[in-house]
Amino acid sequence: MDYLSELNPAQRQAVEATEGPVMVIAGAGSGKTRVLTYRIAHLINKGVDAFNILALTFTNKAANEMKERIAQIVGPSEARNIWMGTFHSIFARILRQEAERIGFPRDFTIYDTQDSKNLIKTIIKEYGLDDKIYKPGLVLSRISAAKNNLISVEDYKKSVNLIAEDRQSAKPKLVDIYDTYQRRLMKSSAMDFDDLLFKTNILLAKNPDILVKYQHQFKYILVDEYQDTNFSQYLIVKQLAAAYQNICVVGDDAQSIYAFRGANIQNILNFKKDYPDAKIFKLEQNYRSTKNIVNAANSIIELNKEQIKKEVWTDNEEGNKIEIYKASSDNEEGKIIANIILEQKLSKQLHNYDFAVLYRTNSQSRAIEETLRKKNIPYKIYGGTSFYQRKEIKDLLAYYRLAINPNDEESLKRVINYPARGIGKTTLDKISVAAVNSGKSMWEIIANIRNAGLGLNNGTLNKVSAFADMIKSFNVQVATTEAYELGNQIASTSGILKELYADKTPEGISRYENVQELLNGLKEFSETQKKIDPEKTPVLPDFMQDVALLTDQDNETDEDRDKVTLMTIHASKGLEFPYVFIAGMEENLFPSQMALHSRADLEEERRLFYVAVTRAKKQCYLSYATQRFKWGQQIYCEPSRFIDELNPLYIEHKYPVNRAKQTLGKESETRKSTPITPPKNLKKVSEIKSNPQESAFNLPISVGSLVEHQKFGVGEVLELENGKASINFKNAGKKQLLLKYAKLKLIS
């Protein structure tokens, strides 16, 4: 098999330069995996023993795919002998062989994150500490960061800065918890995930003979996604490669986006300093995207100061320009995206799986998910959970359901002790048994707990009574209190907001943002309902009915992959799609407000934007909203600076698409002959005191709406400003009208 003939000149040079240190800078879509695969196959074909090759990846999927490709070239037997896998799997294998050198048995247990959290939870309890301050997730995150920077318990105790930071954050006992945690792991013959790297470093540092053994075993070392390595990973690789220096690292500094996980971009930027004789190869031909996408991406990344310069190019077609859409709200942004998907599917005979919607934070998925459901466009959340299936959302919705119907036992069991209020499993079991024996619901027992005769002590009785009183107070307001007001009150009074706000880990912040996003949806629902029927108070049961319909999952099989993909930009790295939407292109959202304090953080956000754009093969769309609900308030947003940074040659500002343009004429004719039923319960125009857009006809006209004018016929609203509307009419062209006198009818 003449595999080398399948490579372009740059790829072939990188594959054939087998001796000495090599760095391959692989631009987006440039065939990085092919180079790694063929390089390993080439080494074996040259006579290198497969047992002497170490290949480190960041995912098992990447390792397995490469092994399969290598097996096709050199045969499955040889491919099996390569030491190839993730950092953690390879070093766990080494530790099992050498564990006794660091005081562990070979059959040590590896704790996953939940095991670690449970152990930390136990230690916090034993110390008598407040787990609302010493949250297990936060403590584990702190310990993990220490280990990834090779800070042992002893080092931690000696660090004036770390101890001062802990005291400042009111967590002076963190170092003691770390100490006890490590002792317990040792006592249980267990290592956590971070220990697999941490202990490997200790093994190699304290046992020179072991280091020499593996230096001579791994004569050729290859590292994928080198820009994503942390300090601990970097040091292990550096030590192992020291004897032969046949090290090949492959990556792209322009796609370094995991600093929050400890990844250090300096590892790839300083490779030449570590290995002055290193050969550097640049893979600059992009096989994935159109010229417009490649050129636009280049115009983004060239603004970063810290980078290895390269000129990415492509022989692919010119393609369409990147289209930029301005929406009046996050909900309208969702509609724009859904309508473009429908239009493109119709005109180009595409599948749902041809489309991906990327966003900066998980909470942005709500508005997009709701619109896709309403338009009957199937979708899947990649690397995450559907918005309404996330735990924190289900917890708050359970409170809402319980407020409406206290007899809902599933909701009751879910939240009676969340947030923790000291009502344990034993108490709940007694209540459950009493309910079964008496033929009553659990709520009926709880609502009269003092007369239930369960033998509970006064402390427990008080806690259960307090919970029951809280639910009763919610229940009496359900029919009369405005939905957002009651929903916000429940989130606050139940303790959910306080619980989530106290967790400052990245996961905790994300959960808090998701709950705020649910409240934003509730606020938007309330305001929309008030506009539709000003005489009626929108209440929580109405909202929950809407949500129940939205969350009614279809029973689709796993084989049914024809779905639009929704994911964060971080999760999209390494993937590609024909059509990509990047939503929420707004200042303080993308780039994140958290990233505006330093050049390094801002450059990472720009690299994240570069990654997002380069996921697209045929077409990339950017969208932003001028208003967005945040923390229950409608805030005004300005377009992201990244939009301004794009070279104008490769972008096109578009008006929102309300529906497929091709069908506009037919729909106009249909509507001319179909009577339009006006909404009920509208006040007279003279009675309404609001902005001109509403007072003209009290209809929620927005950019992208289809309207009908007596003289000009059907048209699409292009702009709304100061009581004026710019409308593109099918038969009369573009007109600017005063809404107050236009007598427009809203079609959709």
Short mmCIF file of all heavy atoms in Angstrom, two decimals, residues 46-91:
data_model
loop_
_atom_site.label_atom_id
_atom_site.label_comp_id
_atom_site.label_asym_id
_atom_site.label_seq_id
_atom_site.Cartn_x
_atom_site.Cartn_y
_atom_site.Cartn_z
N LYS A 46 9.52 1.16 8.67
CA LYS A 46 10.98 1.38 8.64
C LYS A 46 11.73 0.41 9.57
O LYS A 46 12.96 0.42 9.63
CB LYS A 46 11.31 2.82 9.06
CG LYS A 46 11.15 3.85 7.96
CD LYS A 46 11.53 5.24 8.45
CE LYS A 46 13.00 5.33 8.83
NZ LYS A 46 13.38 6.69 9.26
N GLY A 47 10.97 -0.37 10.33
CA GLY A 47 11.61 -1.35 11.20
C GLY A 47 11.56 -1.03 12.68
O GLY A 47 12.12 -1.79 13.50
N VAL A 48 10.92 0.07 13.06
CA VAL A 48 10.80 0.39 14.49
C VAL A 48 9.81 -0.58 15.13
O VAL A 48 8.72 -0.83 14.60
CB VAL A 48 10.32 1.84 14.68
CG1 VAL A 48 10.06 2.14 16.16
CG2 VAL A 48 11.34 2.82 14.12
N ASP A 49 10.18 -1.15 16.27
CA ASP A 49 9.31 -2.07 17.00
C ASP A 49 8.10 -1.30 17.54
O ASP A 49 8.27 -0.26 18.18
CB ASP A 49 10.09 -2.70 18.16
CG ASP A 49 9.33 -3.86 18.82
OD1 ASP A 49 8.08 -3.86 18.77
OD2 ASP A 49 9.99 -4.74 19.40
N ALA A 50 6.91 -1.80 17.28
CA ALA A 50 5.69 -1.12 17.72
C ALA A 50 5.68 -0.91 19.24
O ALA A 50 5.12 0.07 19.74
CB ALA A 50 4.45 -1.92 17.30
N PHE A 51 6.34 -1.81 19.99
CA PHE A 51 6.41 -1.68 21.45
C PHE A 51 7.22 -0.46 21.88
O PHE A 51 7.11 -0.01 23.01
CB PHE A 51 7.02 -2.93 22.08
CG PHE A 51 6.08 -4.10 22.15
CD1 PHE A 51 6.19 -5.16 21.26
CD2 PHE A 51 5.07 -4.13 23.10
CE1 PHE A 51 5.32 -6.24 21.32
CE2 PHE A 51 4.20 -5.21 23.18
CZ PHE A 51 4.32 -6.27 22.28
N ASN A 52 8.03 0.07 20.97
CA ASN A 52 8.87 1.24 21.28
C ASN A 52 8.22 2.57 20.91
O ASN A 52 8.86 3.61 20.98
CB ASN A 52 10.22 1.14 20.56
CG ASN A 52 11.06 -0.02 21.06
OD1 ASN A 52 11.73 -0.69 20.29
ND2 ASN A 52 11.04 -0.27 22.36
N ILE A 53 6.93 2.51 20.51
CA ILE A 53 6.21 3.73 20.11
C ILE A 53 5.15 4.07 21.16
O ILE A 53 4.33 3.23 21.53
CB ILE A 53 5.53 3.56 18.73
CG1 ILE A 53 6.58 3.26 17.65
CG2 ILE A 53 4.72 4.80 18.37
CD1 ILE A 53 5.99 2.88 16.31
N LEU A 54 5.20 5.31 21.64
CA LEU A 54 4.19 5.81 22.58
C LEU A 54 3.43 6.94 21.89
O LEU A 54 4.02 7.92 21.45
CB LEU A 54 4.87 6.35 23.85
CG LEU A 54 3.99 7.11 24.84
CD1 LEU A 54 2.91 6.21 25.44
CD2 LEU A 54 4.83 7.74 25.96
N ALA A 55 2.12 6.77 21.78
CA ALA A 55 1.27 7.80 21.17
C ALA A 55 0.20 8.22 22.17
O ALA A 55 -0.60 7.40 22.63
CB ALA A 55 0.63 7.28 19.89
N LEU A 56 0.20 9.51 22.53
CA LEU A 56 -0.71 10.03 23.56
C LEU A 56 -1.77 10.93 22.94
O LEU A 56 -1.46 11.84 22.16
CB LEU A 56 0.09 10.83 24.59
CG LEU A 56 1.12 10.01 25.38
CD1 LEU A 56 2.08 10.94 26.12
CD2 LEU A 56 0.43 9.07 26.35
N THR A 57 -3.01 10.66 23.27
CA THR A 57 -4.15 11.43 22.75
C THR A 57 -4.96 11.98 23.92
O THR A 57 -4.68 11.69 25.08
CB THR A 57 -5.06 10.56 21.88
OG1 THR A 57 -5.69 9.57 22.72
CG2 THR A 57 -4.28 9.86 20.77
N PHE A 58 -5.99 12.73 23.60
CA PHE A 58 -6.85 13.28 24.65
C PHE A 58 -8.19 12.56 24.75
O PHE A 58 -8.93 12.76 25.70
CB PHE A 58 -7.07 14.79 24.45
CG PHE A 58 -5.98 15.60 25.09
CD1 PHE A 58 -4.79 15.82 24.43
CD2 PHE A 58 -6.13 16.11 26.36
CE1 PHE A 58 -3.77 16.54 25.01
CE2 PHE A 58 -5.11 16.84 26.97
CZ PHE A 58 -3.93 17.05 26.29
N THR A 59 -8.52 11.74 23.76
CA THR A 59 -9.76 10.97 23.83
C THR A 59 -9.50 9.54 23.38
O THR A 59 -8.65 9.29 22.52
CB THR A 59 -10.87 11.57 22.92
OG1 THR A 59 -10.45 11.48 21.55
CG2 THR A 59 -11.14 13.03 23.28
N ASN A 60 -10.24 8.62 23.97
CA ASN A 60 -10.14 7.22 23.54
C ASN A 60 -10.61 7.06 22.10
O ASN A 60 -10.09 6.22 21.37
CB ASN A 60 -10.99 6.33 24.47
CG ASN A 60 -10.36 6.18 25.84
OD1 ASN A 60 -9.18 5.88 25.95
ND2 ASN A 60 -11.15 6.41 26.88
N LYS A 61 -11.59 7.88 21.73
CA LYS A 61 -12.12 7.81 20.37
C LYS A 61 -11.01 8.09 19.35
O LYS A 61 -10.86 7.36 18.37
CB LYS A 61 -13.26 8.82 20.21
CG LYS A 61 -13.92 8.79 18.84
CD LYS A 61 -14.98 9.89 18.72
CE LYS A 61 -15.54 9.93 17.31
NZ LYS A 61 -16.41 11.10 17.09
N ALA A 62 -10.21 9.14 19.61
CA ALA A 62 -9.11 9.48 18.70
C ALA A 62 -8.10 8.34 18.62
O ALA A 62 -7.62 7.98 17.54
CB ALA A 62 -8.44 10.77 19.16
N ALA A 63 -7.78 7.76 19.78
CA ALA A 63 -6.80 6.66 19.81
C ALA A 63 -7.31 5.46 19.03
O ALA A 63 -6.57 4.84 18.26
CB ALA A 63 -6.50 6.28 21.26
N ASN A 64 -8.57 5.12 19.22
CA ASN A 64 -9.14 3.94 18.54
C ASN A 64 -9.21 4.14 17.03
O ASN A 64 -8.94 3.21 16.26
CB ASN A 64 -10.53 3.63 19.11
CG ASN A 64 -10.47 3.15 20.55
OD1 ASN A 64 -9.45 2.62 20.99
ND2 ASN A 64 -11.54 3.35 21.29
N GLU A 65 -9.59 5.35 16.62
CA GLU A 65 -9.67 5.63 15.18
C GLU A 65 -8.29 5.52 14.53
O GLU A 65 -8.15 4.96 13.44
CB GLU A 65 -10.25 7.04 14.95
CG GLU A 65 -11.76 7.11 15.18
CD GLU A 65 -12.30 8.52 15.00
OE1 GLU A 65 -11.50 9.45 14.73
OE2 GLU A 65 -13.53 8.70 15.14
N MET A 66 -7.27 6.03 15.21
CA MET A 66 -5.91 5.95 14.66
C MET A 66 -5.42 4.51 14.60
O MET A 66 -4.78 4.10 13.64
CB MET A 66 -4.96 6.83 15.48
CG MET A 66 -5.08 8.31 15.14
SD MET A 66 -3.69 9.28 15.70
CE MET A 66 -4.10 9.52 17.40
N LYS A 67 -5.72 3.75 15.64
CA LYS A 67 -5.29 2.34 15.65
C LYS A 67 -5.92 1.57 14.48
O LYS A 67 -5.27 0.74 13.85
CB LYS A 67 -5.68 1.68 16.98
CG LYS A 67 -4.57 1.70 18.01
CD LYS A 67 -4.88 0.80 19.19
CE LYS A 67 -3.74 0.82 20.19
NZ LYS A 67 -4.00 0.01 21.37
N GLU A 68 -7.19 1.85 14.22
CA GLU A 68 -7.87 1.17 13.11
C GLU A 68 -7.22 1.51 11.78
O GLU A 68 -7.01 0.64 10.93
CB GLU A 68 -9.36 1.57 13.09
CG GLU A 68 -10.18 0.92 14.20
CD GLU A 68 -11.61 1.43 14.25
OE1 GLU A 68 -12.03 2.07 13.26
OE2 GLU A 68 -12.30 1.18 15.25
N ARG A 69 -6.88 2.79 11.59
CA ARG A 69 -6.24 3.20 10.34
C ARG A 69 -4.84 2.59 10.22
O ARG A 69 -4.44 2.16 9.13
CB ARG A 69 -6.13 4.73 10.28
CG ARG A 69 -7.47 5.44 10.15
CD ARG A 69 -7.23 6.88 9.71
NE ARG A 69 -8.37 7.74 9.99
CZ ARG A 69 -8.42 9.02 9.69
NH1 ARG A 69 -7.38 9.61 9.12
NH2 ARG A 69 -9.47 9.76 9.96
N ILE A 70 -4.10 2.57 11.32
CA ILE A 70 -2.74 1.99 11.29
C ILE A 70 -2.81 0.50 10.98
O ILE A 70 -2.00 -0.02 10.22
CB ILE A 70 -2.03 2.24 12.65
CG1 ILE A 70 -1.77 3.74 12.83
CG2 ILE A 70 -0.71 1.47 12.72
CD1 ILE A 70 -1.40 4.13 14.24
N ALA A 71 -3.82 -0.17 11.55
CA ALA A 71 -3.98 -1.61 11.32
C ALA A 71 -4.19 -1.92 9.84
O ALA A 71 -3.75 -2.96 9.35
CB ALA A 71 -5.16 -2.14 12.15
N GLN A 72 -4.86 -1.01 9.13
CA GLN A 72 -5.09 -1.21 7.70
C GLN A 72 -3.80 -1.15 6.90
O GLN A 72 -3.69 -1.72 5.82
CB GLN A 72 -6.07 -0.16 7.18
CG GLN A 72 -7.50 -0.33 7.72
CD GLN A 72 -8.39 0.85 7.37
OE1 GLN A 72 -7.98 1.77 6.65
NE2 GLN A 72 -9.61 0.84 7.89
N ILE A 73 -2.79 -0.45 7.45
CA ILE A 73 -1.51 -0.31 6.74
C ILE A 73 -0.50 -1.36 7.15
O ILE A 73 0.14 -2.00 6.31
CB ILE A 73 -0.92 1.11 6.98
CG1 ILE A 73 -1.89 2.18 6.49
CG2 ILE A 73 0.43 1.26 6.27
CD1 ILE A 73 -1.48 3.61 6.86
N VAL A 74 -0.35 -1.56 8.48
CA VAL A 74 0.71 -2.47 8.96
C VAL A 74 0.18 -3.80 9.48
O VAL A 74 0.97 -4.67 9.85
CB VAL A 74 1.56 -1.78 10.06
CG1 VAL A 74 2.17 -0.50 9.55
CG2 VAL A 74 0.73 -1.53 11.32
N GLY A 75 -1.16 -3.92 9.54
CA GLY A 75 -1.75 -5.16 10.06
C GLY A 75 -2.17 -5.01 11.51
O GLY A 75 -1.52 -4.31 12.28
N PRO A 76 -3.24 -5.70 11.90
CA PRO A 76 -3.79 -5.55 13.25
C PRO A 76 -2.85 -6.02 14.35
O PRO A 76 -2.86 -5.50 15.46
CB PRO A 76 -5.07 -6.40 13.21
CG PRO A 76 -4.92 -7.31 12.04
CD PRO A 76 -4.05 -6.60 11.06
N SER A 77 -2.02 -7.02 14.07
CA SER A 77 -1.13 -7.56 15.09
C SER A 77 -0.13 -6.51 15.57
O SER A 77 0.05 -6.29 16.77
CB SER A 77 -0.38 -8.78 14.54
OG SER A 77 0.51 -9.28 15.50
N GLU A 78 0.52 -5.85 14.62
CA GLU A 78 1.49 -4.81 14.99
C GLU A 78 0.79 -3.60 15.61
O GLU A 78 1.31 -3.00 16.55
CB GLU A 78 2.29 -4.38 13.75
CG GLU A 78 3.42 -5.31 13.37
CD GLU A 78 4.44 -5.46 14.50
OE1 GLU A 78 5.11 -4.47 14.84
OE2 GLU A 78 4.55 -6.57 15.07
N ALA A 79 -0.35 -3.24 15.08
CA ALA A 79 -1.08 -2.06 15.59
C ALA A 79 -1.42 -2.24 17.06
O ALA A 79 -1.40 -1.29 17.84
CB ALA A 79 -2.34 -1.83 14.77
N ARG A 80 -1.71 -3.48 17.46
CA ARG A 80 -2.07 -3.77 18.85
C ARG A 80 -0.92 -3.51 19.81
O ARG A 80 -1.13 -3.27 20.99
CB ARG A 80 -2.52 -5.23 18.96
CG ARG A 80 -4.00 -5.38 19.26
CD ARG A 80 -4.38 -6.84 19.43
NE ARG A 80 -5.22 -7.27 18.32
CZ ARG A 80 -4.90 -8.23 17.47
NH1 ARG A 80 -3.76 -8.88 17.59
NH2 ARG A 80 -5.71 -8.54 16.49
N ASN A 81 0.30 -3.61 19.32
CA ASN A 81 1.47 -3.51 20.19
C ASN A 81 1.89 -2.07 20.50
O ASN A 81 2.74 -1.84 21.35
CB ASN A 81 2.66 -4.24 19.56
CG ASN A 81 2.40 -5.73 19.41
OD1 ASN A 81 1.61 -6.29 20.18
ND2 ASN A 81 3.03 -6.37 18.44
N ILE A 82 1.30 -1.11 19.79
CA ILE A 82 1.65 0.30 20.03
C ILE A 82 1.08 0.73 21.39
O ILE A 82 -0.06 0.40 21.72
CB ILE A 82 1.06 1.20 18.92
CG1 ILE A 82 1.53 0.74 17.54
CG2 ILE A 82 1.43 2.65 19.15
CD1 ILE A 82 0.70 1.30 16.41
N TRP A 83 1.88 1.45 22.13
CA TRP A 83 1.38 2.05 23.38
C TRP A 83 0.61 3.32 22.99
O TRP A 83 1.17 4.41 22.95
CB TRP A 83 2.53 2.40 24.32
CG TRP A 83 3.06 1.21 25.09
CD1 TRP A 83 3.66 0.11 24.59
CD2 TRP A 83 3.00 1.04 26.51
NE1 TRP A 83 4.00 -0.75 25.60
CE2 TRP A 83 3.62 -0.20 26.80
CE3 TRP A 83 2.53 1.81 27.59
CZ2 TRP A 83 3.75 -0.70 28.10
CZ3 TRP A 83 2.67 1.33 28.87
CH2 TRP A 83 3.26 0.09 29.13
N MET A 84 -0.65 3.15 22.69
CA MET A 84 -1.46 4.28 22.23
C MET A 84 -2.71 4.41 23.08
O MET A 84 -3.42 3.44 23.32
CB MET A 84 -1.85 4.11 20.76
CG MET A 84 -2.71 5.25 20.22
SD MET A 84 -3.25 4.99 18.53
CE MET A 84 -1.75 5.37 17.65
N GLY A 85 -2.99 5.62 23.54
CA GLY A 85 -4.20 5.87 24.32
C GLY A 85 -4.16 7.25 24.93
O GLY A 85 -3.28 8.06 24.63
N THR A 86 -5.10 7.52 25.81
CA THR A 86 -5.12 8.82 26.49
C THR A 86 -4.00 8.87 27.51
O THR A 86 -3.47 7.84 27.95
CB THR A 86 -6.45 9.05 27.21
OG1 THR A 86 -6.58 8.06 28.25
CG2 THR A 86 -7.63 8.93 26.26
N PHE A 87 -3.64 10.08 27.91
CA PHE A 87 -2.63 10.26 28.96
C PHE A 87 -2.98 9.41 30.18
O PHE A 87 -2.14 8.69 30.72
CB PHE A 87 -2.56 11.74 29.38
CG PHE A 87 -1.76 12.60 28.46
CD1 PHE A 87 -2.33 13.20 27.35
CD2 PHE A 87 -0.41 12.83 28.71
CE1 PHE A 87 -1.59 14.01 26.50
CE2 PHE A 87 0.34 13.64 27.87
CZ PHE A 87 -0.25 14.23 26.76
N HIS A 88 -4.24 9.50 30.61
CA HIS A 88 -4.64 8.82 31.84
C HIS A 88 -4.61 7.29 31.69
O HIS A 88 -4.18 6.59 32.61
CB HIS A 88 -6.03 9.29 32.28
CG HIS A 88 -6.05 10.71 32.72
ND1 HIS A 88 -6.30 11.75 31.85
CD2 HIS A 88 -5.83 11.30 33.93
CE1 HIS A 88 -6.25 12.91 32.51
NE2 HIS A 88 -5.96 12.66 33.76
N SER A 89 -5.03 6.78 30.55
CA SER A 89 -5.04 5.32 30.38
C SER A 89 -3.62 4.76 30.28
O SER A 89 -3.32 3.71 30.85
CB SER A 89 -5.86 4.93 29.15
OG SER A 89 -5.24 5.39 27.97
N ILE A 90 -2.73 5.45 29.59
CA ILE A 90 -1.35 4.98 29.44
C ILE A 90 -0.62 5.00 30.78
O ILE A 90 0.06 4.04 31.16
CB ILE A 90 -0.59 5.83 28.40
CG1 ILE A 90 -1.15 5.60 26.99
CG2 ILE A 90 0.91 5.53 28.45
CD1 ILE A 90 -0.93 4.21 26.43
N PHE A 91 -0.78 6.10 31.52
CA PHE A 91 -0.03 6.20 32.78
C PHE A 91 -0.64 5.34 33.88
O PHE A 91 0.06 4.92 34.81
CB PHE A 91 0.12 7.67 33.18
CG PHE A 91 0.89 8.46 32.14
CD1 PHE A 91 0.49 9.70 31.72
CD2 PHE A 91 2.02 7.90 31.55
CE1 PHE A 91 1.19 10.40 30.74
CE2 PHE A 91 2.73 8.58 30.56
CZ PHE A 91 2.32 9.83 30.16
#
